[in-house]
Amino acid sequence: MSDIMINLSSSVDNPQAGGPTAKQKKNRNTFLKRMKYLKAKGYLKDKQSNPNQRSSNNHKQSSNQNGPFPKCSLPPTAGSSGASTSPSNPPPKSLIVQNEGSQEKPKQQGSSKTAALGSCPSSSSSHKLLTSTGNPTKYLAIDCEMVGTGPKGSISKLARCSIVSYDGDVVYDKFIKPDVPITDFRTPWSGIRPRDLFKATPYAEARREILRLLMGKIIIGHAIHNDFKALSYTHPFSLTRDTSKIPLLNQKAGFPEKQVASLKRLTKAIFNRDIQTGRKGHSSVEDAKATMELYKVVEEEWERTLISRS
């Protein structure tokens, strides 16, 4: 009986007294296999990288708390907007550009410089473009005053010429003495008096000075054919702008398109300003400035119209 009892007691498992049992070994082997499988699949690596992700998220949260990102920011990388570019996280091959009211379309990266600029707006887009000529120094406005010669002053001759720049600065303003006797000074309209022509520039000399200024420039005038006739000059048609024949000005003034409105009426209708008033007659400087101002009102539209016609 005693031998039997001894044999029974030795067959009972005692985990505290001996090493691990077969079941424990089996469970441990199963656990090690699972760990090895997870490690091979990269799950353990992702798990270990969680602290870095949490750090990146914390940095993103702190940036949001400190204030909005600057307007000119780098383009986001693939995956998460908070992740940085690295060999393990390369930049995307294309950027998605979406404007308001348009569909998304991929935009290929042209260079690293383009990628660095990201979504920064172009500085030139905020600037207004000049007209098609693009050079205000090429613009001049002219106005001439005439006196009468011949029988009853029926023949008009140049007695004053004024030229102003695009900004309204006076470039030329001289009284001019005709080469024939004057029979009517037309003072109520021309503003010319006998004393004004006492030491005036002779016509031939003044004409040379004026034509040198007009050469190659865009010349603006109101009923400008009268001014050119007084100068015995023909300016290139493509460089001539006659404010009495611009339908856009009549539209803005509320006049019929084909009506030839006077400079005084157009200035009053568009700028609500009176010119050519008083008993002293017209001022060619005032008229030239008003002509330039009227042209600038429709400059861009009118130049586009001329380009489309050509």
Side-chain angles (χ1 to χ4, degrees):
M1 289 292 293
S2 61
D3 292 336
I4 294 171
M5 292 297 294
I6 291 171
N7 291 335
L8 290 173
S9 62
S10 62
S11 63
V12 176
D13 293 336
N14 188 6
Q16 296 179 355
T21 63
K23 185 176 181 180
Q24 290 176 338
K25 289 181 179 181
K26 183 178 180 181
N27 291 339
R28 181 175 178 80
N29 290 336
T30 303
F31 173 77
L32 292 176
K33 289 181 179 179
R34 289 181 178 178
M35 292 292 288
K36 186 176 180 180
Y37 173 80
L38 294 175
K39 187 175 182 180
K41 290 295 185 180
Y43 291 106
L44 292 181
K45 185 177 180 180
D46 291 343
K47 185 175 182 181
Q48 292 173 359
S49 65
N50 283 338
N52 294 333
Q53 293 180 356
R54 288 194 297 269
S55 176
S56 176
N57 292 334
N58 292 336
H59 176 71
K60 182 178 179 182
Q61 291 177 359
S62 63
S63 300
N64 290 335
Q65 292 175 357
N66 292 334
F69 288 101
K71 294 181 180 179
C72 181
S73 59
L74 294 177
T77 57
S80 172
S81 59
S84 60
T85 303
S86 64
S88 61
N89 189 15
K93 294 183 179 180
S94 63
L95 299 175
I96 300 301
V97 180
Q98 182 178 9
N99 296 327
E100 185 177 357
S102 63
Q103 297 179 351
E104 293 186 357
K105 54 178 68 176
K107 181 179 180 181
Q108 296 295 331
Q109 285 181 318
S111 62
S112 58
K113 183 177 180 181
T114 304
L117 292 175
S119 58
C120 297
S122 172
S123 59
S124 61
S125 63
S126 61
H127 296 286
K128 183 180 179 180
L129 296 177
L130 293 176
T131 60
S132 58
T133 55
N135 187 2
T137 60
K138 290 181 68 67
Y139 292 86
L140 293 175
I142 188 173
D143 187 79
C144 298
E145 300 296 342
M146 269 71 77
V147 294
T149 63
K152 298 183 180 180
S154 58
I155 302 174
S156 296
K157 289 292 181 179
L158 182 65
R160 185 182 180 184
C161 179
S162 300
I163 301 174
V164 300
S165 68
Y166 184 84
D167 296 322
D169 300 321
V170 177
V171 176
Y172 187 93
D173 180 33
K174 286 186 177 182
F175 289 104
I176 300 168
K177 188 174 183 178
D179 50 7
V180 293
I182 300 172
T183 56
D184 186 359
F185 283 89
R186 304 177 184 176
T187 303
W189 299 275
S190 67
I192 306 294
R193 292 169 175 78
R195 64 175 180 267
D196 296 327
L197 303 183
F198 181 68
K199 294 183 178 181
T201 304
Y203 171 79
E205 179 183 346
R207 182 177 181 274
R208 286 193 299 269
E209 295 172 347
I210 295 167
L211 297 190
R212 277 198 296 266
L213 291 173
L214 302 186
M215 291 295 180
K217 301 296 180 65
I218 296 176
I219 307 303
I220 303 159
H222 195 82
I224 197 171
H225 61 279
N226 293 324
D227 302 315
F228 290 154
K229 183 179 179 180
L231 289 165
S232 300
Y233 171 68
T234 301
H235 197 67
F237 180 76
S238 61
L239 299 178
T240 303
R241 308 289 185 267
D242 191 340
T243 52
S244 70
K245 297 179 180 179
I246 299 181
L248 288 171
L249 275 176
N250 284 18
Q251 290 177 9
K252 292 184 179 296
F255 302 152
E257 288 188 9
K258 296 183 179 181
Q259 184 183 86
V260 180
S262 66
L263 180 64
K264 182 175 183 177
R265 288 184 64 207
L266 282 173
T267 303
K268 178 64 175 179
I270 293 178
F271 300 120
N272 193 25
R273 187 174 76 238
D274 294 317
I275 62 172
Q276 302 174 355
T277 59
R279 298 180 180 179
K280 295 182 179 181
H282 299 180
S283 166
S284 53
V285 172
E286 181 184 49
D287 290 353
K289 289 183 177 182
T291 302
M292 180 64 81
E293 291 175 4
L294 287 172
Y295 169 74
K296 289 164 72 173
V297 169
V298 294
E299 176 183 359
E300 293 185 6
E301 297 175 79
W302 183 241
E303 293 299 332
R304 282 198 298 266
T305 302
L306 294 178
I307 292 174
S308 63
R309 290 178 180 177
S310 62

